[in-house]
C-alpha cells in the first residue's frame, strides 16, 4: 500500500488506503468503550488542531482521538490565532510547523488549504478537517465505518443523500468514495441546492424525494448551510422545505424496513429531519459520532507511523496492533 503522508481528501486515496483506514478505525472502537480509554500508540507525538470555522463534533473527536492515543494535543481557534492580528495563513502555518508538531489538523473555509500549506511545511503531516464546500475526508471515513458495522461492506448498496448538495463537502467526498468502493449514490435536492453538472460524478439525480426512496439502503440527510447561501431564494420557506425534503416516519417506511438513517450533524430537527426519525432505532447518527473518534484515531496513527509499526511487528494485522496497544495501557500511569 502507498504510504499516507497527508490526508487532503478522498480524491487522493485509493481503495486500499480507504479500506486500511476504515479497518484500523474499526480496531480502535474497543479502546473507546473500555473503562480506561488510553493507549500508548502516539506517546511523544504532538497534534495541533487549527480550526478557522466553528465545530463541535470534528474538533472534539480529533482532540479525544489524539489524547486517547497518548499524544500531546493543542487546540487553536481562529478567534485566538494571530490571524486576528493580520497574520497570513501561510505565516500561521509556518510558525506552528516551526514548533515541530507531527500533525497539523486544519479546518478552513477555503478549498485546498491543506494542499497549499503542504508545499511550505515539508516536515508536518496535514489533515483536512473540512475545507469550504470541497471535501471532508474524515467524515466520509467515519460514515464508511458506520456502514461496515451495519452491513459489512458498502459495495452494492444504495445511499440516498438529501439536502444542500451544492454546499456540502460531505456529499462531494461521498460521491468520490462511491466510485472507488462500488456503492451507488442518489442525490436529492431542489435545483437551487444542486451544483451544476453533478451527473459527472456518476450519481442518480432526483428532485422528488419520494421517488428516490424505494430501494435505498441508507438515507443520508444534510443540513441546509444557510451561512454559505448568498441569498434567501434557495427555497420558499422552512415549512415548505420540510414538506418536500424532510425525512419523516412515512418517508422512512417507504424506503423499506432495513433502511438506515445517517446525518453528519449538526441536525436541524423539523427542517431536514423529524425528531421521531432522528431518535428512532433505525438512526445511526450517534453511531457516526462514536465512530468519528475511532476513525480520527486511525488517521492520526497512520500519519504518525502506524504503518511502520505494523511492519516492525512482522506484518501482524491491524487488529493485533490495536490489541497490543490496549494491553500496554495497563502499564501507563
Amino acid at each position: 500500500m502507498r504510504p499516507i503522508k497527508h490526508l487532503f481528501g478522498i480524491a487522493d486515496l485509493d481503495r486500499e488506503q480507504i479500506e486500511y483506514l476504515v479497518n484500523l478505525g474499526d480496531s480502535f472502537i474497543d479502546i473507546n468503550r473500555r473503562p480506561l480509554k488510553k493507549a500508548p500508540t502516539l506517546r511523544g507525538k504532538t497534534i495541533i488542531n487549527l480550526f478557522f470555522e466553528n465545530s463541535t463534533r470534528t474538533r472534539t473527536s480529533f482532540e479525544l482521538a489524539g489524547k486517547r492515543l497518548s499524544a500531546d494535543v493543542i487546540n487553536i481557534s481562529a478567534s485566538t490565532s494571530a490571524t486576528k492580528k493580520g497574520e497570513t495563513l501561510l505565516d500561521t502555518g509556518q510558525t506552528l510547523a516551526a514548533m515541530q508538531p507531527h500533525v497539523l489538523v486544519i479546518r478552513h473555509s477555503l478549498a485546498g488549504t491543506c494542499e497549499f500549506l503542504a508545499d511550505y511545511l515539508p516536515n508536518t503531516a496535514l489533515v483536512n478537517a473540512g475545507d469550504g464546500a470541497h471535501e471532508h475526508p474524515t467524515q466520509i471515513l467515519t460514515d464508511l465505518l458506520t456502514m461496515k458495522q451495519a452491513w459489512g461492506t458498502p459495495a452494492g448498496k444504495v445511499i440516498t443523500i438529501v439536502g444542500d448538495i451544492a454546499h456540502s463537502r460531505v456529499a462531494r467526498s461521498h460521491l468520490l468514495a462511491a466510485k472507488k468502493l462500488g456503492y451507488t449514490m442518489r442525490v436529492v435536492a431542489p435545483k437551487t441546492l444542486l451544483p451544476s453538472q453533478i451527473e459527472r460524478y456518476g450519481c442518480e439525480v432526483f428532485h422528488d424525494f419520494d421517488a428516490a426512496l424505494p430501494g435505498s439502503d441508507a438515507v443520508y440527510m444534510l443540513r441546509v448551510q444557510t451561512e454559505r447561501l448568498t441569498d434567501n431564494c434557495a427555497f420558499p420557506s422552512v415549512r415548505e422545505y420540510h414538506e418536500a425534503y424532510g425525512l419523516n416516519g412515512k418517508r422512512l417506511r417507504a424506503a423499506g424496513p432495513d433502511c438506515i438513517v445517517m446525518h453528519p450533524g449538526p441536525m436541524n430537527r423539523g427542517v431536514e429531519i423529524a425528531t421521531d426519525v432522528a431518535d428512532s432505532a433505525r438512526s445511526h447518527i450517534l453511531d457516526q459520532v462514536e465512530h468519528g473518534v475511532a476513525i480520527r484515531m486511525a488517521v492520526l496513527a497512520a500519519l504518525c507511523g502506524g504503518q511502520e509499526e505494523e511492519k516492525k511487528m512482522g506484518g501482524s494485522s491491524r487488529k493485533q496492533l490495536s490489541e497490543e496497544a490496549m494491553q500496554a495501557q495497563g502499564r501507563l500511569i
Side-chain angles (χ1 to χ4, degrees):
M1 184 184 76
R2 290 189 297 114
I4 304 171
K5 183 179 180 183
H6 304 289
L7 182 59
F8 297 146
I10 296 297
D12 301 300
L13 301 177
D14 58 34
R15 178 174 186 144
E16 186 179 13
Q17 292 171 317
I18 293 171
E19 291 177 343
Y20 169 82
L21 291 172
V22 171
N23 290 335
L24 187 56
D26 191 22
S27 74
F28 281 128
I29 290 176
D30 286 342
I31 290 180
N32 291 318
R33 293 177 177 174
R34 292 165 65 93
L36 179 59
K37 308 177 192 303
K38 203 76 166 178
T41 311
L42 299 185
R43 187 163 48 188
K45 307 292 186 180
T46 303
I47 315 296
I48 297 179
N49 296 322
L50 178 60
F51 277 59
F52 291 92
E53 288 187 321
N54 294 331
S55 170
T56 299
R57 292 156 190 78
T58 303
R59 177 170 169 168
T60 303
S61 61
F62 266 113
E63 181 177 2
L64 283 173
K67 289 181 176 179
R68 287 180 180 176
L69 293 177
S70 302
D72 297 314
V73 181
I74 307 298
N75 291 315
I76 302 173
S77 65
S79 61
T80 59
S81 74
T83 56
K84 282 290 185 179
K85 301 177 181 178
E87 184 175 73
T88 66
L89 172 65
L90 177 56
D91 284 334
T92 297
Q94 288 180 319
T95 297
L96 294 175
M99 300 178 190
Q100 304 301 316
H102 295 84
V103 180
L104 184 57
V105 179
I106 303 174
R107 169 169 285 194
H108 202 281
S109 61
L110 298 179
T113 298
C114 285
E115 290 93 325
F116 165 72
L117 287 175
D119 291 334
Y120 299 94
L121 314 180
N123 299 318
T124 304
L126 299 174
V127 177
N128 175 14
D131 57 339
H134 179 226
E135 277 220 55
H136 195 351
T138 58
Q139 179 61 54
I140 273 47
L141 292 169
T142 294
D143 298 340
L144 292 173
L145 178 53
T146 302
M147 294 177 193
K148 175 182 171 68
Q149 292 281 313
W151 306 319
T153 175
K157 300 296 185 180
V158 176
I159 314 301
T160 299
I161 191 164
V162 187
D164 188 358
I165 308 295
H167 301 99
S168 175
R169 49 199 172 206
V170 171
R172 176 178 168 81
S173 290
H174 259 302
L175 291 168
L176 294 169
K179 286 185 176 182
K180 299 181 181 188
L181 298 178
Y183 59 96
T184 298
M185 290 295 297
R186 295 176 180 172
V187 298
V188 183
K191 292 181 180 180
T192 52
L193 293 177
L194 277 176
S196 61
Q197 299 181 337
I198 191 170
E199 295 86 355
R200 72 185 186 275
Y201 287 102
C203 57
E204 301 173 13
V205 180
F206 294 81
H207 302 301
D208 183 343
F209 190 4
D210 296 298
L213 286 168
S216 298
D217 294 292
V219 179
Y220 198 115
M221 303 308 297
L222 298 173
R223 177 181 66 89
V224 175
Q225 299 186 40
T226 54
E227 71 275 12
R228 299 188 197 277
L229 294 175
T230 56
D231 56 53
N232 296 317
C233 302
F235 48 87
S237 69
V238 169
R239 180 183 60 81
E240 290 177 286
Y241 179 86
H242 181 70
E243 288 181 359
Y245 296 101
L247 182 61
N248 53 35
K250 180 181 178 180
R251 284 193 166 120
L252 184 56
R253 288 190 293 273
D258 299 320
C259 181
I260 66 173
V261 177
M262 302 176 72
H263 194 304
M267 291 186 293
N268 286 324
R269 294 170 183 257
V271 182
E272 74 272 7
I273 190 167
T275 290
D276 61 330
V277 172
D279 299 335
S280 71
R282 292 164 67 180
S283 171
H284 286 242
I285 296 169
L286 292 181
D287 294 330
Q288 291 172 267
V289 177
E290 179 188 18
H291 297 156
V293 179
I295 279 294
R296 281 144 190 146
M297 291 169 73
V299 168
L300 296 177
L303 294 180
C304 288
Q307 295 170 64
E308 290 302 316
E309 287 299 318
E310 286 188 283
K311 293 176 183 177
K312 292 176 186 177
M313 293 167 63
S316 61
S317 69
R318 301 173 183 90
K319 196 82 173 179
Q320 289 171 316
L321 176 62
S322 179
E323 287 172 354
E324 180 172 285
M326 286 190 289
Q327 291 169 3
Q329 71 178 301
R331 300 193 296 270
L332 293 179
I333 298 175

